Amino acid sequence: MATAARQVHTAVTRAEEEAAPESAQPSLPLVDKAQRVAPTDARRLSKLFFERLATLEEGTAEYQYARNTLIEMNLSLVRYVARRFRSRGQEMEDVVQVGTIGLIKAIDRFDVSRETEFTTFSIPYITGEIKRFFRDTTWSVHVPRRLQELRVDLARAREEMEGRGNPEPSVADYAAHLELGEDEIVEGLVACNGYDADSLDRPIEAGGGDQRTGLIADLIGNEDPALALAENLHALKPLMARLDERQRTLLELRFGAEMTQSEIGKELGLSQMHVSRLLTRACATLREGLLAER
């Protein structure tokens, strides 16, 4: 590592000494293992590379070398910013990859003529890209971006109001503090529930966590099949009233008394085939009425 640092320092010094007056183009040193360049040397080298990059035609081999070297030399900035997000529960490799996208954007947009330090210019790009990654991927339920941003505003507002002695702000308090409508505040508070998800198999703890009384899934109700049956019977009632008396009698004997078609035929003095046709016609009439109403 010490030898590599000395080689880089020597290359930087030589490049600066060989750079002719303002009319000539500065030469670019060959940087091996650019990711190992010390931060101090990386800043000096980056300035040379940016000055040269501004004069090169995009797509040329020299342009690609200058751009790629700038990316590799400044990856330490990405790792520096990524460490701030270690507690977010994401793999650091993923965070670094996302931050590298911000670094590349900063390199492509940096203007060396403004005499701004690249470090100062690039960190907001890197940070913004990582924050965007967490905003878009860490929600358990996807919600619109405006609601994701509103969640942050609500959290800050709550913190400020708690500091003023209001531990449980109301919707009206949030609306007044953020100068938003109460409907929008309610929508934002509901959307906050989508940030975290919990397992249905998580035990329910009682008595300060010493006693478990079941699972969360036990608290979630299931759809009662009888509800659908009640709805269907309610929808059938006016349709049954439209049938003639014989059709209603047939349906009552078949589905109420659960008699067979042969037994119904004997009861009413009809053939089994005739009973079948009458039942089919009555059921078809009811089915058409139900479908028409839906």
Side-chain angles (χ1 to χ4, degrees), residues 92-205:
M92 284 305 297
E93 182 179 350
D94 295 337
V95 179
V96 170
Q97 288 180 359
V98 173
T100 302
I101 296 174
L103 173 65
I104 293 171
K105 290 181 179 179
I107 289 173
D108 291 340
R109 298 172 186 177
F110 183 65
D111 185 355
V112 70
S113 64
R114 295 185 178 180
E115 297 184 356
T116 303
E117 284 288 339
F118 178 68
T119 302
T120 305
F121 180 82
S122 62
I123 285 181
Y125 278 89
I126 299 169
T127 304
E129 203 67 35
I130 294 175
K131 286 184 176 180
R132 190 177 299 112
F133 166 73
F134 281 105
R135 182 182 62 195
D136 294 343
T137 62
T138 56
W139 284 73
S140 298
V141 178
H142 180 71
V143 299
R145 180 165 296 178
R146 65 178 181 84
L147 294 180
Q148 296 178 16
E149 295 172 349
L150 180 56
R151 172 184 174 273
V152 177
D153 294 337
L154 288 170
R156 290 174 179 168
R158 182 183 181 89
E159 185 177 347
E160 292 175 6
M161 287 187 283
E162 286 179 347
R164 298 174 185 174
N166 185 2
E168 293 295 335
S170 65
V171 172
D173 294 333
Y174 281 115
H177 188 88
L178 297 175
E179 298 182 354
L180 298 172
E182 292 189 9
D183 290 342
E184 190 171 357
I185 295 297
V186 171
E187 188 179 11
L189 292 172
V190 171
C192 289
N193 295 328
Y195 187 75
D196 294 314
D198 209 345
S199 172
L200 294 177
D201 295 326
R202 182 175 69 81
I204 302 170
E205 297 180 351

Side-chain angles (χ1 to χ4, degrees), residues 20 62 68 279 294:
E62 191 175 3
N68 292 340
L279 284 172
R294 292 180 183 179

Side-chain angles (χ1 to χ4, degrees), residues 240 247-259:
M240 288 288 291
Q247 288 175 316
R248 290 197 297 271
T249 300
L250 285 170
L251 291 173
E252 182 180 352
L253 294 175
R254 179 69 184 90
F255 300 105
E258 297 185 352
M259 296 172 62

Side-chain angles (χ1 to χ4, degrees), residues 34-82:
Q35 294 190 35
R36 298 186 179 181
V37 176
T40 303
D41 290 331
R43 284 194 293 271
R44 298 173 63 192
L45 271 174
S46 293
K47 184 176 181 181
L48 289 176
F49 273 74
F50 273 119
E51 289 174 349
R52 186 73 179 111
L53 191 67
T55 66
L56 296 172
E57 182 180 352
E58 186 174 349
T60 62
E62 191 175 3
Y63 180 93
Q64 291 300 326
Y65 166 71
R67 184 171 180 266
N68 292 340
T69 304
L70 282 168
I71 294 171
E72 292 183 24
M73 283 193 302
N74 290 283
L75 282 175
S76 59
L77 294 174
V78 178
R79 289 189 288 270
Y80 167 75
V81 176

